[in-house]
Amino acid sequence: MPVIVHITSGPNQGQEKTLKAGEKLRIGRGDENDFSFPDDERMSRNHFVIKVEATRCRIEDLNSSNGTYVNDDRIERPCLLEDGARVRAGQTHFVVKIVGQTIHRSYPALRPGGSSRSIPTVEIPKFMAEACPSGLTCYRASHSLSESTPLRLIVGRLFQHGTPYLILDPTKLEPGTAPAALQSTPLFDWLPPEARQISPIIIPPGALEGDPIDVLDVAWDRNALLCIFVAPNVSVDIMLRHFQAMTKWSGDGSGSGEQGMLGWCWPAVLSPLLASREPKFVERLLQGVTAVLMEVPGQPRQWQVYGGAEFREVLLAADFLPGTAPA
Protein backbone atom coordinates (compact mmCIF):
# COMPACT_ATOMS: atom_id res chain seq x y z
CA MET A 1 0.00 0.00 0.00
CA PRO A 2 2.16 2.93 -1.19
CA VAL A 3 1.51 6.27 0.51
CA ILE A 4 2.44 9.58 -1.13
CA VAL A 5 2.86 12.66 1.06
CA HIS A 6 2.64 15.72 -1.21
CA ILE A 7 3.23 19.35 -0.16
CA THR A 8 0.48 21.58 -1.55
CA SER A 9 1.63 24.89 -0.03
CA GLY A 10 4.41 26.29 2.12
CA PRO A 11 8.19 26.71 1.80
CA ASN A 12 8.72 23.30 0.12
CA GLN A 13 5.64 23.38 -2.12
CA GLY A 14 5.58 20.69 -4.82
CA GLN A 15 7.89 18.22 -3.07
CA GLU A 16 6.67 14.79 -2.07
CA LYS A 17 7.79 11.56 -0.42
CA THR A 18 6.61 8.01 -1.12
CA LEU A 19 6.38 5.42 1.67
CA LYS A 20 5.87 1.65 1.64
CA ALA A 21 4.36 -0.60 4.30
CA GLY A 22 6.64 -0.73 7.32
CA GLU A 23 8.13 2.72 6.71
CA LYS A 24 7.60 5.95 8.60
CA LEU A 25 8.15 9.63 7.78
CA ARG A 26 9.19 12.01 10.56
CA ILE A 27 8.53 15.64 9.70
CA GLY A 28 9.86 18.77 11.40
CA ARG A 29 12.13 21.79 11.18
CA GLY A 30 15.25 19.93 12.40
CA ASP A 31 17.78 18.31 10.07
CA GLU A 32 17.41 14.94 11.83
CA ASN A 33 13.91 14.47 10.37
CA ASP A 34 13.17 12.38 7.28
CA PHE A 35 11.49 15.43 5.72
CA SER A 36 13.04 18.68 6.97
CA PHE A 37 11.48 22.17 6.77
CA PRO A 38 14.10 24.61 8.15
CA ASP A 39 12.35 27.62 6.57
CA ASP A 40 8.97 26.99 8.24
CA GLU A 41 9.26 29.08 11.41
CA ARG A 42 5.94 27.85 12.82
CA MET A 43 6.85 24.18 12.56
CA SER A 44 8.40 22.46 15.59
CA ARG A 45 11.82 20.82 15.43
CA ASN A 46 10.11 17.40 15.55
CA HIS A 47 6.51 18.04 14.57
CA PHE A 48 4.69 14.84 13.51
CA VAL A 49 5.25 11.37 12.12
CA ILE A 50 3.36 9.30 9.54
CA LYS A 51 3.58 5.51 9.85
CA VAL A 52 2.52 3.09 7.11
CA GLU A 53 1.39 -0.40 8.03
CA ALA A 54 0.14 -3.27 5.87
CA THR A 55 -3.47 -2.05 5.60
CA ARG A 56 -3.53 1.39 7.18
CA CYS A 57 -1.70 4.67 7.59
CA ARG A 58 -1.57 6.68 10.79
CA ILE A 59 -0.31 10.04 11.96
CA GLU A 60 0.88 11.16 15.38
CA ASP A 61 1.73 14.61 16.68
CA LEU A 62 5.12 14.76 18.44
CA ASN A 63 4.13 17.28 21.12
CA SER A 64 4.51 20.15 18.67
CA SER A 65 4.04 23.73 19.85
CA ASN A 66 1.44 24.77 17.27
CA GLY A 67 -0.27 21.41 16.75
CA THR A 68 -0.88 19.08 13.83
CA TYR A 69 -4.18 19.41 11.98
CA VAL A 70 -5.94 16.76 9.90
CA ASN A 71 -8.82 18.09 7.81
CA ASP A 72 -8.82 21.27 9.92
CA ASP A 73 -9.12 19.38 13.24
CA ARG A 74 -6.23 19.44 15.69
CA ILE A 75 -5.32 15.88 16.63
CA GLU A 76 -4.76 14.96 20.26
CA ARG A 77 -4.05 11.25 19.79
CA PRO A 78 -2.67 9.02 17.01
CA CYS A 79 -5.19 8.99 14.16
CA LEU A 80 -5.84 6.94 11.06
CA LEU A 81 -5.46 8.72 7.73
CA GLU A 82 -7.72 8.10 4.77
CA ASP A 83 -6.95 8.67 1.10
CA GLY A 84 -7.10 12.40 0.37
CA ALA A 85 -6.59 13.53 3.97
CA ARG A 86 -5.18 17.06 4.34
CA VAL A 87 -2.52 17.71 6.96
CA ARG A 88 -1.28 21.08 8.22
CA ALA A 89 1.83 21.69 10.32
CA GLY A 90 3.13 25.23 10.77
CA GLN A 91 2.85 27.05 7.44
CA THR A 92 3.05 23.83 5.42
CA HIS A 93 0.06 21.99 3.98
CA PHE A 94 0.18 18.36 2.84
CA VAL A 95 -2.19 15.96 1.12
CA VAL A 96 -1.84 12.23 1.74
CA LYS A 97 -2.56 9.88 -1.15
CA ILE A 98 -3.01 6.23 -0.20
CA VAL A 99 -2.70 4.20 -3.38
CA GLY A 100 -5.14 1.33 -3.74
CA GLN A 101 -6.89 1.90 -0.44
CA THR A 102 -10.24 0.16 -0.17
CA ILE A 103 -12.45 1.25 2.71
CA HIS A 104 -16.13 1.15 3.56
CA ARG A 105 -16.96 4.84 3.82
CA SER A 106 -19.84 5.92 6.00
CA TYR A 107 -19.39 9.55 5.04
CA PRO A 108 -19.19 11.47 1.74
CA ALA A 109 -15.89 11.43 -0.13
CA LEU A 110 -14.08 14.74 -0.66
CA ARG A 111 -15.36 16.49 -3.76
CA PRO A 112 -13.23 18.80 -5.89
CA GLY A 113 -13.49 22.26 -4.42
CA GLY A 114 -15.37 20.91 -1.40
CA SER A 115 -14.60 21.41 2.25
CA SER A 116 -11.79 19.40 3.74
CA ARG A 117 -14.15 18.64 6.62
CA SER A 118 -15.88 16.13 4.33
CA ILE A 119 -13.23 13.68 5.51
CA PRO A 120 -13.24 13.51 9.31
CA THR A 121 -10.32 12.77 11.57
CA VAL A 122 -10.34 9.10 12.56
CA GLU A 123 -8.70 7.96 15.77
CA ILE A 124 -6.98 4.62 16.01
CA PRO A 125 -9.51 2.72 18.13
CA LYS A 126 -8.13 0.83 21.12
CA PHE A 127 -9.86 -1.68 23.36
CA MET A 128 -9.53 -3.38 26.73
CA ALA A 129 -10.75 -6.91 27.48
CA GLU A 130 -12.08 -8.09 30.84
CA ALA A 131 -13.28 -11.57 31.77
CA CYS A 132 -16.72 -11.50 33.40
CA PRO A 133 -18.24 -13.83 36.04
CA SER A 134 -20.87 -14.68 33.40
CA GLY A 135 -18.23 -16.45 31.31
CA LEU A 136 -18.27 -13.74 28.65
CA THR A 137 -15.51 -11.28 27.83
CA CYS A 138 -16.34 -7.58 27.88
CA TYR A 139 -14.44 -5.60 25.24
CA ARG A 140 -14.58 -1.87 25.85
CA ALA A 141 -13.01 1.27 24.41
CA SER A 142 -9.91 2.23 26.37
CA HIS A 143 -10.97 5.90 26.23
CA SER A 144 -13.94 7.98 25.14
CA LEU A 145 -13.85 9.18 21.55
CA SER A 146 -12.90 12.78 20.91
CA GLU A 147 -15.60 15.07 19.56
CA SER A 148 -13.74 15.34 16.23
CA THR A 149 -14.12 11.60 15.54
CA PRO A 150 -17.57 10.55 14.31
CA LEU A 151 -18.66 7.67 16.49
CA ARG A 152 -20.08 5.86 13.46
CA LEU A 153 -16.60 5.50 11.95
CA ILE A 154 -15.34 3.63 15.02
CA VAL A 155 -18.35 1.65 16.19
CA GLY A 156 -19.36 1.02 12.57
CA ARG A 157 -16.15 -0.95 12.04
CA LEU A 158 -17.64 -3.67 14.20
CA PHE A 159 -20.35 -4.16 11.60
CA GLN A 160 -17.63 -5.90 9.59
CA HIS A 161 -18.39 -8.84 11.90
CA GLY A 162 -21.68 -9.07 10.00
CA THR A 163 -24.87 -7.08 9.80
CA PRO A 164 -26.45 -7.24 13.25
CA TYR A 165 -30.01 -7.55 14.38
CA LEU A 166 -31.03 -4.19 15.82
CA ILE A 167 -33.26 -3.98 18.87
CA LEU A 168 -34.41 -0.37 18.96
CA ASP A 169 -36.68 1.56 21.29
CA PRO A 170 -38.14 4.35 19.10
CA THR A 171 -39.78 6.00 22.11
CA LYS A 172 -36.33 7.10 23.31
CA LEU A 173 -35.41 8.85 20.06
CA GLU A 174 -35.96 12.45 19.02
CA PRO A 175 -39.29 12.83 17.22
CA GLY A 176 -39.03 12.09 13.52
CA THR A 177 -35.59 10.44 13.69
CA ALA A 178 -36.60 6.77 13.84
CA PRO A 179 -35.10 4.90 10.85
CA ALA A 180 -37.38 3.51 8.16
CA ALA A 181 -37.43 -0.28 8.10
CA LEU A 182 -38.76 -2.61 5.43
CA GLN A 183 -39.47 -5.12 8.18
CA SER A 184 -39.70 -4.81 11.95
CA THR A 185 -41.27 -6.94 14.65
CA PRO A 186 -42.48 -5.76 18.06
CA LEU A 187 -40.36 -7.25 20.80
CA PHE A 188 -43.22 -7.18 23.32
CA ASP A 189 -45.51 -9.29 21.16
CA TRP A 190 -47.70 -10.05 24.19
CA LEU A 191 -48.97 -6.47 24.29
CA PRO A 192 -52.45 -5.85 22.82
CA PRO A 193 -52.27 -4.53 19.23
CA GLU A 194 -53.23 -0.99 20.21
CA ALA A 195 -50.33 -0.83 22.69
CA ARG A 196 -47.57 -2.31 20.56
CA GLN A 197 -46.52 1.12 19.33
CA ILE A 198 -44.66 1.58 22.62
CA SER A 199 -42.74 -1.67 22.22
CA PRO A 200 -39.09 -1.80 21.21
CA ILE A 201 -38.75 -3.32 17.75
CA ILE A 202 -36.52 -5.99 16.25
CA ILE A 203 -35.02 -5.10 12.86
CA PRO A 204 -33.44 -8.13 11.13
CA PRO A 205 -30.29 -7.82 8.99
CA GLY A 206 -30.97 -6.16 5.64
CA ALA A 207 -34.37 -4.82 6.71
CA LEU A 208 -33.43 -1.14 7.01
CA GLU A 209 -34.01 1.10 4.01
CA GLY A 210 -30.62 2.80 4.56
CA ASP A 211 -27.23 1.93 5.96
CA PRO A 212 -27.59 0.25 9.39
CA ILE A 213 -24.70 2.37 10.62
CA ASP A 214 -27.01 5.40 10.27
CA VAL A 215 -28.92 4.18 13.32
CA LEU A 216 -25.90 4.95 15.49
CA ASP A 217 -26.30 8.66 14.76
CA VAL A 218 -29.81 8.84 16.23
CA ALA A 219 -29.89 6.09 18.88
CA TRP A 220 -26.47 5.95 20.56
CA ASP A 221 -26.19 7.29 24.14
CA ARG A 222 -29.98 7.14 24.53
CA ASN A 223 -30.31 3.69 26.14
CA ALA A 224 -32.24 2.79 23.01
CA LEU A 225 -30.17 0.41 20.87
CA LEU A 226 -28.66 -3.08 20.95
CA CYS A 227 -26.69 -4.48 18.01
CA ILE A 228 -26.81 -8.27 18.20
CA PHE A 229 -24.60 -10.48 16.05
CA VAL A 230 -25.97 -13.95 15.38
CA ALA A 231 -24.43 -17.20 14.21
CA PRO A 232 -24.83 -17.53 10.41
CA ASN A 233 -26.72 -20.83 10.54
CA VAL A 234 -29.63 -19.52 12.65
CA SER A 235 -32.75 -18.44 10.76
CA VAL A 236 -34.43 -15.07 11.19
CA ASP A 237 -37.69 -16.66 12.36
CA ILE A 238 -35.92 -18.60 15.09
CA MET A 239 -34.10 -15.51 16.35
CA LEU A 240 -37.24 -13.35 16.32
CA ARG A 241 -39.11 -15.92 18.40
CA HIS A 242 -36.16 -16.26 20.77
CA PHE A 243 -35.83 -12.51 21.34
CA GLN A 244 -39.56 -12.27 22.08
CA ALA A 245 -39.52 -15.30 24.39
CA MET A 246 -36.69 -13.88 26.46
CA THR A 247 -38.80 -10.87 27.45
CA LYS A 248 -41.23 -13.33 29.09
CA TRP A 249 -38.60 -15.18 31.06
CA SER A 250 -37.66 -14.64 34.68
CA GLY A 251 -34.37 -16.52 34.45
CA ASP A 252 -35.44 -19.81 35.97
CA GLY A 253 -35.02 -21.62 32.66
CA SER A 254 -38.68 -22.40 32.01
CA GLY A 255 -39.50 -19.62 29.55
CA SER A 256 -43.13 -20.48 30.09
CA GLY A 257 -44.57 -17.03 29.52
CA GLU A 258 -45.99 -17.10 33.05
CA GLN A 259 -42.83 -15.98 34.79
CA GLY A 260 -42.99 -12.21 34.37
CA MET A 261 -40.93 -9.84 32.25
CA LEU A 262 -37.18 -9.60 31.68
CA GLY A 263 -36.44 -6.12 30.31
CA TRP A 264 -33.13 -7.09 28.73
CA CYS A 265 -33.68 -4.95 25.63
CA TRP A 266 -32.07 -1.76 26.99
CA PRO A 267 -28.29 -1.33 27.47
CA ALA A 268 -28.69 -0.12 31.07
CA VAL A 269 -30.42 -3.42 31.92
CA LEU A 270 -28.56 -5.85 29.69
CA SER A 271 -25.01 -4.70 30.46
CA PRO A 272 -25.04 -5.75 34.15
CA LEU A 273 -26.87 -8.97 33.29
CA LEU A 274 -24.18 -10.02 30.80
CA ALA A 275 -21.40 -8.98 33.15
CA SER A 276 -22.55 -10.53 36.40
CA ARG A 277 -25.20 -13.21 36.02
CA GLU A 278 -24.34 -16.89 36.18
CA PRO A 279 -23.11 -18.55 32.96
CA LYS A 280 -26.22 -20.77 32.63
CA PHE A 281 -28.50 -17.72 32.60
CA VAL A 282 -26.39 -15.87 30.02
CA GLU A 283 -26.06 -18.94 27.79
CA ARG A 284 -29.84 -19.26 27.64
CA LEU A 285 -30.39 -15.55 27.08
CA LEU A 286 -27.86 -15.36 24.24
CA GLN A 287 -28.78 -18.60 22.51
CA GLY A 288 -27.68 -18.29 18.87
CA VAL A 289 -25.89 -14.98 19.59
CA THR A 290 -22.15 -14.50 19.03
CA ALA A 291 -21.75 -10.95 20.39
CA VAL A 292 -23.72 -7.94 21.61
CA LEU A 293 -22.61 -4.36 20.88
CA MET A 294 -24.01 -1.47 22.91
CA GLU A 295 -23.23 1.88 24.48
CA VAL A 296 -21.71 2.11 27.97
CA PRO A 297 -24.52 3.52 30.14
CA GLY A 298 -23.53 6.80 31.74
CA GLN A 299 -20.35 7.16 29.66
CA PRO A 300 -21.02 9.17 26.47
CA ARG A 301 -19.20 8.26 23.25
CA GLN A 302 -18.15 4.88 24.59
CA TRP A 303 -18.84 1.37 23.27
CA GLN A 304 -18.68 -2.16 24.62
CA VAL A 305 -19.09 -5.66 23.24
CA TYR A 306 -19.95 -8.79 25.20
CA GLY A 307 -18.82 -11.94 23.45
CA GLY A 308 -16.50 -14.91 23.63
CA ALA A 309 -12.73 -14.83 23.79
CA GLU A 310 -12.64 -15.28 20.00
CA PHE A 311 -14.16 -11.82 19.44
CA ARG A 312 -10.71 -10.37 20.06
CA GLU A 313 -9.75 -11.59 16.59
CA VAL A 314 -12.73 -9.76 15.11
CA LEU A 315 -11.54 -6.51 16.72
CA LEU A 316 -8.00 -6.98 15.48
CA ALA A 317 -9.25 -7.74 11.95
CA ALA A 318 -11.24 -4.47 12.08
CA ASP A 319 -8.02 -2.54 12.86
CA PHE A 320 -8.63 -2.10 16.59
CA LEU A 321 -5.52 -2.18 18.77
CA PRO A 322 -5.15 -3.53 22.32
CA GLY A 323 -4.92 -0.64 24.75
CA THR A 324 -4.97 0.19 28.44
CA ALA A 325 -7.19 2.33 30.59
CA PRO A 326 -6.08 5.97 30.95
CA ALA A 327 -4.22 6.77 34.15
Side-chain angles (χ1 to χ4, degrees):
M1 187 180 72
V3 172
I4 301 171
V5 181
H6 181 80
I7 301 172
T8 57
S9 66
N12 294 31
Q13 182 176 352
Q15 295 184 21
E16 63 183 33
K17 296 279 188 178
T18 300
L19 304 173
K20 304 189 298 292
E23 295 183 337
K24 64 182 179 180
L25 184 69
R26 185 184 290 264
I27 291 174
R29 201 176 66 251
D31 293 339
E32 68 274 17
N33 291 284
D34 305 306
F35 211 169
S36 178
F37 296 80
D39 297 326
D40 190 333
E41 297 179 352
R42 294 187 58 79
M43 187 178 289
S44 293
R45 183 175 184 87
N46 299 295
H47 201 105
F48 71 90
V49 62
I50 292 176
K51 299 178 181 179
V52 181
E53 301 171 11
T55 60
R56 62 188 177 187
C57 177
R58 56 178 171 156
I59 184 172
E60 181 177 354
D61 181 76
L62 299 176
N63 296 316
S64 64
S65 298
N66 294 315
T68 301
Y69 293 78
V70 177
N71 304 320
D72 294 333
D73 292 319
R74 183 166 181 167
I75 61 174
E76 304 295 338
R77 304 184 180 103
C79 296
L80 296 177
L81 291 175
E82 308 293 1
D83 181 32
R86 299 170 186 263
V87 178
R88 174 165 56 88
Q91 298 172 309
T92 304
H93 295 246
F94 308 80
V95 65
V96 179
K97 174 66 177 176
I98 303 177
V99 180
Q101 183 185 58
T102 301
I103 184 169
H104 172 73
R105 293 186 181 272
S106 298
Y107 52 86
L110 184 67
R111 295 178 176 86
S115 168
S116 61
R117 287 188 176 270
S118 298
I119 301 179
T121 303
V122 184
E123 297 178 34
I124 297 175
K126 296 183 179 181
F127 68 91
M128 303 177 296
E130 179 181 359
C132 300
S134 65
L136 297 176
T137 300
C138 178
Y139 303 92
R140 184 174 294 189
S142 59
H143 59 266
S144 296
L145 298 176
S146 68
E147 292 297 329
S148 64
T149 298
L151 180 129
R152 61 185 288 136
L153 295 186
I154 302 299
V155 178
R157 287 167 179 253
L158 299 177
F159 284 30
Q160 297 177 27
H161 182 52
T163 303
Y165 287 75
L166 304 178
I167 295 186
L168 178 68
D169 186 348
T171 67
K172 294 180 177 292
L173 307 184
E174 291 289 339
T177 63
L182 301 174
Q183 174 190 351
S184 65
T185 302
L187 183 64
F188 301 159
D189 62 326
W190 36 266
L191 289 174
E194 63 273 13
R196 290 183 183 177
Q197 62 184 3
I198 67 171
S199 170
I201 58 175
I202 314 166
I203 305 175
L208 279 179
E209 292 187 0
D211 191 330
I213 296 177
D214 292 342
V215 179
L216 302 175
D217 294 336
V218 299
W220 205 259
D221 288 334
R222 291 180 174 272
N223 194 33
L225 177 67
L226 299 174
C227 305
I228 302 180
F229 300 97
V230 171
N233 59 339
V234 183
S235 73
V236 171
D237 286 343
I238 288 176
M239 288 312 305
L240 293 180
R241 290 197 297 269
H242 176 71
F243 292 148
Q244 291 171 332
M246 289 300 96
T247 66
K248 297 175 287 189
W249 180 52
S250 66
D252 67 352
S254 66
S256 64
E258 303 292 336
Q259 303 299 316
M261 175 186 170
L262 180 64
W264 62 270
C265 52
W266 298 285
V269 176
L270 185 59
S271 181
L273 290 179
L274 297 186
S276 304
R277 287 297 299 263
E278 62 274 12
K280 184 177 180 181
F281 172 94
V282 172
E283 182 178 353
R284 172 69 191 282
L285 180 62
L286 297 187
Q287 185 176 332
V289 173
T290 59
V292 181
L293 164 67
M294 67 183 96
E295 66 191 59
V296 180
Q299 298 185 37
R301 298 182 62 76
Q302 274 272 24
W303 58 267
Q304 61 182 346
V305 175
Y306 287 93
E310 66 279 0
F311 197 81
R312 174 185 173 90
E313 299 305 315
V314 175
L315 289 166
L316 294 175
D319 287 337
F320 285 72
L321 296 178
T324 57

